[in-house]
Amino acid sequence: MQILQNRWRNSGCDIRKMSDVTILTPTYNRDNLLQKLYKSLCDQNRKDFDWIIIDDGSIDNTQEYIEKIKKEADFHISYYRKPNGGKHTALNYAYPHIKTALTFIVDSDDTLTTDAVSIIQATYEKYKEEKDLCGFSFLRGKPNGGYLSDSGVPKEGMKESYVECRINRGIGGDMAEVWYTHCLKEYPFPEFEGEKFLGEDIVWIKMAQKYKMRFFNRVIYISDYLENGLTNNRRKHNIQSPRGCVERAEVFLHSKCNMKAKVKAILQYHIYGKFAGKTIPSLLKKSSMKVFYLLFVIPAQVLYLKWKHEYYSSI
């Protein structure tokens, strides 16, 4: 009977009452690491969620592994494969397949606490009538204890935009954001041909112009950064995807971010613009903040030359 129920669940003929949560995992050559995440999903204290895996062109045994666990899992698993294009393109690819109100993006090398889904569902039930929200934000923990996010969120939580909380309050580090699916569909990631990396906050900053979030001081997500992961190689990936970084800088400049964030953005606008092959006159012409750009063009050029030297010395 259990085997028959599993087949029904993973064939789309599911007789359960579904929760409002989809766990979305983009992955690339991580079949060995997916096993840890899968175990943490099996250990959830409520199983009425969807798990969608977007395989971004893996050349390992990811597909075989997913087909195997689909037959045994007691929750619904959907698997989609696409050509390799980077995490942000995998997220865009996933959105049309998501049918739940909430989307929780969980990387393939991370795990969840056993009560993560139930906490998310209870939070949604409490606040779903607030129409100005784009999602909920919880804390990430380290495998051996402690927080990845700064401890700036009060115990009672708070309601602010992403910009107000994460940028202007200076509450840094990675958090565990659960997004309203309709907001993700409203703000897809820009894609640039040949570029496979884009900072996800380009979209979160855009959302902050219209929506707020509820932030909670509770860990539901455990992260273990890999030596070859995106976070540990961020500058290298940025240099290899400069047009997206220029657009991200523009988004920051047009946001309600504080002056410190805007100075950093104008420097990045110049640096990654140069890596994209742009001249200073063309960057000035394109910039909507020309005076601000001119104020920092010299220090930005110095940084560009330094980063260029470091980058080419490392490859």
Side-chain angles (χ1 to χ4, degrees):
M1 182 65 179
Q2 183 63 50
I3 294 174
L4 179 60
Q5 288 177 339
N6 289 345
R7 288 176 179 171
W8 276 28
R9 289 181 179 112
N10 289 301
S11 66
C13 303
D14 201 340
I15 58 175
R16 299 164 305 157
K17 178 184 180 296
M18 289 297 298
S19 79
D20 296 288
V21 182
T22 289
I23 295 169
L24 172 58
T25 301
T27 189
Y28 177 68
N29 288 345
R30 295 285 180 85
D31 64 321
N32 58 323
L33 296 171
L34 280 166
Q35 297 173 31
K36 281 200 312 180
L37 174 55
Y38 172 60
K39 183 181 185 305
S40 80
L41 298 183
C42 290
D43 292 341
Q44 290 299 302
N45 58 19
R46 65 178 292 172
K47 302 292 181 67
D48 52 344
F49 59 88
D50 276 344
W51 186 25
I52 294 181
I53 302 109
I54 305 297
D55 185 344
D56 191 38
S58 296
I59 55 174
D60 61 0
N61 296 317
T62 294
Q63 184 168 0
E64 291 83 352
Y65 176 69
I66 299 301
E67 292 302 327
K68 172 182 175 292
I69 63 175
K70 282 176 69 174
K71 297 173 183 176
E72 65 186 42
D74 56 353
F75 50 87
H76 190 267
I77 300 175
S78 297
Y79 171 83
Y80 302 95
R81 182 177 172 85
K82 62 177 285 295
N84 180 249
K87 179 180 177 180
H88 64 295
T89 68
L91 295 175
N92 282 346
Y93 186 90
Y95 297 156
H97 301 289
I98 301 172
K99 309 304 179 187
T100 57
L102 301 175
T103 299
F104 188 15
I105 301 168
V106 180
D107 291 341
S108 53
D109 52 340
D110 295 329
T111 59
L112 300 181
T113 62
T114 57
D115 55 359
V117 172
S118 59
I119 289 172
I120 293 166
Q121 184 66 39
T123 303
Y124 176 64
E125 292 295 335
K126 183 174 181 180
Y127 296 108
K128 64 182 179 181
E129 299 306 320
E130 296 185 4
K131 303 304 181 185
D132 60 341
L133 294 180
C134 62
F136 311 106
S137 185
F138 302 90
L139 298 185
R140 293 197 194 196
K142 299 177 182 178
N144 298 319
Y147 302 108
L148 276 176
S149 331
D150 293 345
S151 56
V153 179
K155 289 294 182 183
E156 65 274 14
M158 61 184 179
K159 180 180 180 180
E160 291 185 337
S161 74
Y162 184 93
V163 167
E164 290 168 334
C165 178
R166 302 302 308 280
I167 309 298
N168 295 346
R169 284 184 182 270
I171 299 180
D174 285 339
M175 289 189 177
E177 294 95 356
V178 181
W179 304 100
Y180 276 73
T181 304
H182 73 87
C183 294
L184 291 174
K185 293 178 179 180
E186 183 180 352
Y187 293 94
F189 290 94
E191 297 183 17
F192 299 88
E193 186 176 356
E195 295 195 357
K196 297 184 178 181
F197 180 78
L198 183 66
E200 293 170 47
D201 55 0
I202 186 175
V203 166
W204 317 152
I205 298 295
K206 288 180 180 179
M207 282 189 194
Q209 298 175 21
K210 182 177 179 181
Y211 297 105
K212 294 184 181 294
M213 302 184 73
R214 281 200 172 269
F215 295 84
F216 301 95
N217 194 306
R218 187 164 187 177
V219 173
I220 66 170
Y221 188 123
I222 307 299
S223 285
D224 189 9
Y225 289 130
L226 302 175
E227 195 65 33
N228 64 342
L230 292 178
T231 302
N232 286 340
N233 294 280
R234 183 171 297 276
R235 183 178 295 174
K236 181 183 76 173
H237 291 303
N238 283 343
I239 290 171
Q240 294 170 348
S241 301
R243 289 173 293 165
C245 292
V246 170
E247 182 158 329
R248 176 180 174 271
E250 283 277 25
V251 169
F252 269 79
L253 290 169
H254 288 283
S255 72
K256 295 181 180 178
C257 292
N258 59 31
M259 185 54 64
K260 179 181 177 181
K262 291 192 175 185
V263 168
K264 184 177 179 180
I266 202 67
L267 294 173
Q268 292 176 337
Y269 173 81
H270 175 91
I271 293 167
Y272 294 120
K274 292 289 291 180
F275 277 112
K278 305 295 183 182
T279 64
I280 292 176
S282 67
L283 287 168
L284 177 62
K285 182 177 180 180
K286 184 183 176 185
S287 174
S288 56
M289 304 180 70
K290 291 179 172 53
V291 174
F292 194 49
Y293 175 70
L294 287 171
L295 285 173
F296 292 93
V297 70
I298 293 176
Q301 180 66 11
V302 171
L303 279 174
Y304 162 70
L305 294 172
K306 179 176 182 293
W307 290 10
K308 181 181 178 182
H309 174 74
E310 292 172 348
Y311 175 71
Y312 285 108
S313 297
S314 68
I315 59 176

